[in-house]
Amino acid sequence: MKVVIIGAGPGGYVCAIRCAQLGMDVTIVEKYNSLGGTCLNVGCIPSKALLDSSEHFYQATHQFSTHGIEVGKPTIDFSKMIGRKSEVINQNTKGIEFLMKKNKIVVIQGVASFLSNQKLKIHKTDDSIVELEFDKCIIATGSKPITPPSFQYNKDRIITSTEALSLKELPKEMLIVGAGVIGLEMGSVYARLGTKVTVLEYMDRLLPGMDFDCAKELQKTLKAIGIEFLLGKSVQSVEQIKQKVKLIYKSKDAEAMTNIEADYCLIAIGRRAFTDSLNIEATSIAKDEKGRITVNSNCETAEKNIFAIGDVIHGPMLAHKAEEEGVFVAEYIAGQKPALNHHLIPGVVYTWPEVASVGYTEEHLKEKSIKYKIGKFPFKALGRARASMDLDGFVKILADANTDEVLGVHIIGARAADLIMEAAVAMEFKATAEDISRICHPHPTFSEGIKEAALDATGKRAIHM
Ligand code: FAD
Ligand code: NAD
């Protein structure tokens, strides 16, 4: 079977590998000369590289001496920091090239567009054009930042996350529009390095959609590293005047406009599905009101031989979601009966402390009129957290009031990103809070916070609280 995949991000390249493993003849088309998509080139990996570097600097300046370590006054070689990030990207994208070769996947560099529901035109990077017929095609073209015209995005001082990951100088002041995942992760990077960061957010809280208590706790800790929050503010416009940016916002329920200035403005107000240049009009594929490709629960479009996965369809814009859909589609095409539980896709914010969630929030449960009980345990009561002085945060478990089944877990604290998987596994197997509470957890670890929260949910049995 001849399969063509458009886009070599985590959705596309993972799908390609699984299709090849299942014996298909696979070609992947990618418009950039570097594989890995947003995630490897301008997303997950570079942002985490800078989060790690900036966290080291912050620890050296603020925490080492508490541990009895004196290193003098640390300084920043910003171009070296950015260079290390680029090297991390390079190693990762080379790894994907190796995997393509190993799995005998044909890689074509160029922009793919549909000629019909069985044929693509590829405008190759060397300017030549080829046509490619397929039995099955998978669209994995991802997403791009939303940049309204009034925000005058110019890649110079008015930037998106893409440019914020490769700046040439350390900004003195940065305005960030949006207290979502990107705003808070990139805001953390620059605030830790000494930039005066101000985040403007339309809602009255950080991280809309995630657990409210976690968001409140995160706001407190991010304020402590110097980030200023202007909440309930709707940003109207941004313009660059010489080497400064001028931003105009208004409070949600007021008419008056306020100006604010800084060196840089990062626009982080969400991403849109990217279908430009696909010419899907040559097929009967439909898009929804947000421009995302419409698919059914098997990721099938209106054309039965064309599928779509990842950021370009509905659902959270996350690399692991794109990967799972890639595997799902490959196995579905091969005639298997794969399953993917979209409800249990964990979400993580890699600030410090980290925030991680899986399943329902309290807001969801209230909307659905499901009665629930809460088990909560603070990190400051954990021996491991005391040893490392990572005392901020808590584990919150939401369990069904009648059956005790775990319905949602929300963690803010050190290593939350890794801890959340215990909850996801438990929930996949429909564990109750009591099930978790009766499993022996190693001491001293942060995972004891999950056990204690589970004990708290089942009859207030927490031991260390
Ligand atoms: P993409 O990774 O966007 O890949 C799509 C690919 O298709 C691109 O390479 C593009 O060039 C190519 N393409 C598009 N159109 C064509 C065409 N016509 N012809 C040929 N090629 C084409 N997610 C997480 O899970 N964890 C994180 O920590 C995380 N951090 C992030 C940090 C930032 C700053 C950003 C911006 C995103 C982050 N994300 C994170 C989100 C994650 O990057 C995306 O969810 C993920 O990359 C989506 O994968 P995808 O395969 O659907 O699309
Ligand atoms: P987001 O949707 O997470 O947050 C955007 C924020 O901007 C919202 O809080 C919204 O209320 C606010 N906003 C919108 N318009 C505004 C205006 N005019 N004025 C003030 N505030 C405004 O979007 P994002 O942070 O850009 O991230 C995009 C996607 O990238 C997310 O869907 C996320 O899944 C993905 N991502 C994931 C990770 C991760 O998994 N750790 C990291 C980065 C990005």
Side-chain angles (χ1 to χ4, degrees):
M1 186 183 330
K2 183 150 184 53
V3 177
V4 178
I5 294 161
I6 311 175
Y13 86 74
V14 168
C15 184
I17 293 172
R18 190 70 190 116
C19 286
Q21 285 175 345
L22 291 164
M24 299 173 210
D25 167 4
V26 188
T27 299
I28 191 162
V29 187
E30 168 55 53
K31 71 173 177 176
Y32 291 124
N33 57 14
S34 164
L35 303 179
T38 303
C39 172
L40 265 61
N41 294 284
V42 290
C44 324
I45 301 300
S47 59
K48 268 77 246 178
L50 291 184
L51 277 158
D52 284 335
S53 295
S54 60
E55 179 60 21
H56 288 318
F57 177 73
Y58 192 80
Q59 283 184 357
T61 47
H62 290 77
Q63 287 156 1
F64 275 13
S65 68
T66 319
H67 289 264
I69 305 165
E70 298 303 338
V71 289
K73 190 174 183 302
T75 55
I76 298 167
D77 182 341
F78 189 58
S79 63
K80 191 167 177 182
M81 196 178 278
I82 295 286
R84 186 196 80 92
K85 174 229 62 173
S86 302
E87 189 43 38
V88 171
I89 295 176
N90 200 25
Q91 286 161 7
N92 277 279
T93 56
K94 288 275 171 305
I96 308 297
E97 280 173 29
F98 164 78
L99 290 173
M100 294 300 104
K101 280 202 188 97
K102 182 182 163 208
N103 288 283
K104 301 189 174 42
I105 294 161
V106 176
V107 178
I108 301 183
Q109 257 175 43
V111 178
S113 55
F114 286 97
L115 290 173
S116 72
N117 61 2
Q118 279 163 353
K119 202 191 272 184
L120 286 164
K121 179 175 91 176
I122 319 293
H123 189 153
K124 288 174 69 175
T125 317
D126 64 11
D127 236 9
S128 61
I129 304 233
V130 288
E131 291 186 5
L132 212 56
E133 290 194 354
F134 56 83
D135 299 312
K136 307 279 181 197
C137 177
I138 294 109
I139 304 171
T141 50
S143 62
K144 291 277 179 215
I146 296 173
T147 52
S150 62
F151 286 26
Q152 298 186 31
Y153 167 54
N154 63 10
K155 303 188 183 184
D156 180 24
R157 297 271 168 161
I158 305 174
I159 58 177
T160 65
S161 53
T162 302
E163 294 76 34
L165 292 165
S166 294
L167 289 180
K168 302 249 174 323
E169 59 172 12
L170 190 55
K172 286 193 181 57
E173 305 159 318
M174 182 183 275
L175 303 173
I176 298 182
V177 191
V181 200
I182 292 182
L184 300 184
E185 289 187 354
M186 294 312 300
S188 296
V189 167
Y190 284 104
R192 290 168 188 167
L193 297 178
T195 301
K196 168 88 195 73
V197 173
T198 305
V199 177
L200 297 103
E201 164 59 48
Y202 177 74
M203 306 294 280
D204 293 322
R205 54 165 294 183
L206 277 49
L207 297 174
M210 289 189 88
D211 177 76
F212 181 71
D213 291 338
C214 287
K216 241 175 35 191
E217 178 82 2
L218 184 63
Q219 185 176 345
K220 199 176 74 194
T221 51
L222 293 183
K223 246 176 112 174
I225 66 163
I227 299 183
E228 190 185 340
F229 290 99
L230 297 176
L231 301 181
K233 310 292 181 212
S234 168
V235 174
Q236 305 290 302
S237 65
V238 189
E239 74 175 305
Q240 179 169 343
I241 302 166
K242 294 190 178 145
Q243 297 308 303
K244 285 275 175 197
V245 291
K246 186 171 118 186
L247 180 151
I248 300 179
Y249 69 88
K250 70 180 193 68
S251 294
K252 252 187 351 194
D253 304 317
E255 284 309 310
M257 301 283 183
T258 310
N259 291 348
I260 178 167
E261 280 190 2
D263 297 337
Y264 285 85
C265 176
L266 165 62
I267 307 168
I269 58 169
R271 295 176 62 87
R272 65 172 177 92
F274 184 70
T275 56
D276 305 9
S277 73
L278 270 183
N279 192 35
I280 63 164
E281 295 70 24
T283 70
S284 53
I285 296 172
K287 291 198 248 178
D288 67 15
E289 70 294 346
K290 290 188 173 165
R292 301 172 296 194
I293 291 181
T294 309
V295 290
N296 66 14
S297 56
N298 293 323
C299 297
E300 266 167 336
T301 67
E303 301 280 3
K304 289 294 165 214
N305 61 333
I306 304 178
F307 296 76
I309 58 173
D311 282 10
V312 79
I313 64 168
H314 63 85
M317 289 183 166
L318 297 171
H320 41 288
K321 179 253 192 192
E323 290 185 24
E324 294 303 332
E325 287 173 344
V327 170
F328 177 95
V329 165
E331 295 181 352
Y332 181 78
I333 291 173
Q336 298 183 1
K337 290 194 167 56
L340 174 53
N341 187 350
H342 274 96
H343 177 55
L344 293 185
I345 294 171
V348 175
V349 188
Y350 296 83
T351 43
W352 194 263
E354 293 170 339
V355 184
S357 283
V358 66
Y360 290 120
T361 60
E362 288 192 64
E363 290 79 5
H364 289 137
L365 293 172
K366 280 177 194 149
E367 268 167 34
K368 290 179 171 292
S369 305
I370 298 174
K371 290 209 168 18
Y372 62 93
K373 51 190 178 166
I374 303 175
K376 211 168 165 187
F377 192 80
F379 270 42
K380 62 174 182 278
L382 287 173
R384 188 70 190 84
R386 291 234 156 250
S388 65
M389 299 178 76
D390 294 313
L391 300 173
D392 294 320
F394 55 81
V395 178
K396 186 199 243 187
I397 294 185
L398 307 176
D400 188 292
N402 298 316
T403 66
D404 195 37
E405 182 182 341
V406 178
L407 301 175
V409 177
H410 308 279
I411 308 175
I412 175 166
R415 307 185 197 182
D418 298 295
L419 291 176
I420 200 66
M421 273 321 293
E422 175 180 349
V425 171
M427 289 170 73
E428 190 68 54
F429 289 95
K430 301 211 171 295
T432 61
E434 182 171 355
D435 289 332
I436 295 178
S437 77
R438 293 198 181 275
I439 296 170
C440 182
H441 286 62
H443 174 75
T445 60
F446 291 96
S447 73
E448 287 171 291
I450 297 184
K451 179 185 170 89
E452 292 272 9
L455 282 165
D456 187 45
T458 54
K460 305 294 162 204
R461 297 185 294 128
I463 303 289
H464 294 93
M465 191 169 58

